[in-house]
Amino acid sequence: MERHRFLWIFCLVAFLAACGGGGGGGTSGGSLPAVNAQPTQGTTVQSKPTSSASPLPITTAQPERPTPTPQPTATPKPTATPKPTATPQHTATPSPTPTPQRTATPAPTPSPTPDILTHYVIQPPSNGVYVGAGVLDLPASLEQSTNRVLQVSLHNTHTFFDFSTVNEREMGNDGPMGRISLLSLDCDGVNATAIANGTYDSTLVAQAQGIKALGYNVMIRIWREMNFNLNGRNANNNNCFTPGDTVAQAQAEYIALYRHIVTVYARQGVRNVTWLWCPAIGPGAPKMINVPLLQGFYPGDAYVDWVCADAYDKPAPGYGVNYVWGSGNPNDNPSQFLASFHKPAIIAETGECNSSEVYSCAGFTYTQSEYLAGMYAAMQPGGILYPTVKAFLYFDISDPRGWDFQFDSGGLSEFTTILHTPFYNPLGCSSVACPQPPAALAD
């Protein structure tokens, strides 16, 4: 701009000089020589304005066009780079968060959803204990001797393949009499993994339909005393483990079998079964009875309604109730073990040797009446099995392997006393019938 201003001033001076030279001849002759010397330069200067006439638009207009250089300040359009803030749309990658649906993969697993497992559970008495027995024939004979209908009746006679034939007549009309039928569903040597994998589902479906047809609530324990079949043993002719199983493999096989049976029954619409988990838990066989080992067989709370146990006062010489059920047990403390599940517990089998049995039971220190008197105290307030145990059955059977637990006269007298004690008759059973126990939907 300074340069242009200089040119303008220079041209103006030259123009005035030219004008002054033409009229200066009439005003002052003395200054003319100096002024006349300028025009000769002025002519050269005027040639510049003629050529610099074009710069005028350049100098005035063009510098102001660059001033729209603020238009590059339209570079804020690149501030539309917030469109890359559409990268949040990439954060819409949460749409791949259907990965939670993959956590729904549990649905395909054999374990059914809780609504499938919906069923009715026989409720424990709010105060007291249900009492029953396992007898060789129908329970009516024992009921006649004690003048009271049993609240629970044990049935161990059905096999895996004839379990579908269960009916009221075979069970002595338990339902109409108000008894709770406690059925043992054993595997009878059928491979556990084959059952769990569905190979025998047609058998299970037939079983389920038969149980459903009963029309009243029953208890079923699946593969009783399973832990007694470890190490190749065949207790109760009921070893269904794969040969050579480790303990961990046997536990996994049992759990898979148990859950599969419950699931098949549920899918058949069976709602009248209270499911029992029932290991052997007595003082014998330490390699097969201890708390960590037994816990490894537990199928899970969703599949178990009542916990259950079988235990006898053996081997010889027998030490009574605390030896079998309490802190005197050398393997564990069954009363505490059962309580740890926070579910009602049932003693499905227990017994003391008949005093007339002179072989296996010779030399036992406790009589049947003493053992039953101990049980009478143990299940009441202040006893080691209170308040966990809500049902108790005596095993009034002579075991063909040599153990005779059938009632002798002292044992029968003590058992009759138990039956007629109000605490052990919470529903008011009579000599004719028992009220049906209450049942409620599983939690």
Side-chain angles (χ1 to χ4, degrees), residues 70-291:
Q71 288 177 344
T73 58
T75 52
K77 287 182 182 174
T79 57
T81 53
K83 287 182 182 176
T85 57
T87 52
Q89 290 173 344
H90 290 286
T91 56
T93 53
S95 57
T97 58
T99 49
Q101 291 173 344
R102 296 186 187 175
T103 55
T105 50
T109 59
S111 52
T113 54
D115 58 321
I116 293 177
L117 288 177
T118 299
H119 63 288
Y120 287 90
V121 176
I122 293 171
Q123 296 299 292
S126 57
N127 183 42
V129 173
Y130 299 144
V131 178
V135 296
L136 192 58
D137 52 6
L138 296 177
S141 60
L142 179 58
E143 291 170 343
Q144 289 173 358
S145 300
T146 60
N147 198 35
R148 208 209 89 174
V149 173
L150 301 174
Q151 187 72 75
V152 194
S153 180
L154 176 65
H155 301 276
N156 279 351
T157 56
H158 296 91
T159 69
F160 181 73
F161 292 103
D162 71 11
F163 198 80
S164 58
T165 67
V166 168
N167 60 66
E168 280 188 8
R169 183 183 56 78
E170 284 184 337
M171 296 187 294
N173 295 314
D174 282 352
M177 294 292 288
R179 302 187 202 101
I180 300 168
S181 298
L182 198 171
L183 299 158
S184 298
L185 173 52
D186 293 330
C187 51
D188 295 290
V190 179
N191 180 259
T193 295
I195 294 173
N197 287 346
T199 303
Y200 294 92
D201 275 6
S202 59
T203 301
L204 296 178
V205 167
Q207 293 174 4
Q209 291 172 346
I211 295 297
K212 185 178 179 181
L214 289 174
Y216 59 89
N217 296 306
V218 301
M219 291 178 166
I220 294 180
R221 55 178 184 163
I222 298 174
W223 190 353
R224 61 194 164 112
E225 302 181 3
M226 81 301 294
N227 51 314
F228 265 6
N229 292 286
L230 292 171
N231 306 321
R233 293 181 80 241
N234 192 27
N236 306 314
N237 297 314
N238 210 24
N239 190 338
C240 305
F241 295 125
T242 299
D245 268 358
T246 64
V247 169
Q249 289 168 334
Q251 290 167 333
E253 271 196 304
Y254 173 78
I255 290 172
L257 171 144
Y258 187 109
R259 291 181 175 182
H260 184 70
I261 291 174
V262 172
T263 301
V264 171
Y265 275 55
R267 287 176 177 160
Q268 292 302 307
V270 176
R271 300 290 182 261
N272 59 323
V273 174
T274 297
W275 296 103
L276 274 54
W277 175 69
C278 204
I281 199 170
K287 289 185 179 179
M288 291 172 283
I289 302 174
N290 60 73
V291 168

Side-chain angles (χ1 to χ4, degrees), residues 368-376 392 394 407 411 414-415 418:
Q368 277 186 6
S369 61
E370 288 173 328
Y371 182 75
L372 287 168
M375 292 298 294
Y376 176 88
F392 152 75
Y394 185 85
F407 284 124
E414 187 62 36
F415 187 71
I418 292 173

Side-chain angles (χ1 to χ4, degrees), residues 333-420:
N333 186 325
S335 59
Q336 292 182 358
F337 176 70
L338 293 173
S340 70
F341 292 95
H342 304 288
K343 290 180 177 286
I346 179 170
I347 295 173
E349 296 181 26
T350 193
E352 183 66 77
C353 275
N354 185 303
S355 59
S356 64
E357 211 284 327
V358 296
Y359 297 104
S360 298
C361 295
F364 269 58
T365 56
Y366 273 72
T367 65
Q368 277 186 6
S369 61
E370 288 173 328
Y371 182 75
L372 287 168
M375 292 298 294
Y376 176 88
M379 294 181 286
Q380 294 194 62
I384 60 173
L385 294 171
Y386 180 86
T388 305
V389 171
K390 291 296 185 178
F392 152 75
L393 290 83
Y394 185 85
F395 196 68
D396 182 28
I397 295 174
S398 179
D399 191 318
R401 293 165 295 184
W403 298 96
D404 186 359
F405 302 109
Q406 279 186 301
F407 284 124
D408 56 28
S409 59
L412 181 60
S413 175
E414 187 62 36
F415 187 71
T416 303
T417 299
I418 292 173
L419 285 175
H420 289 277

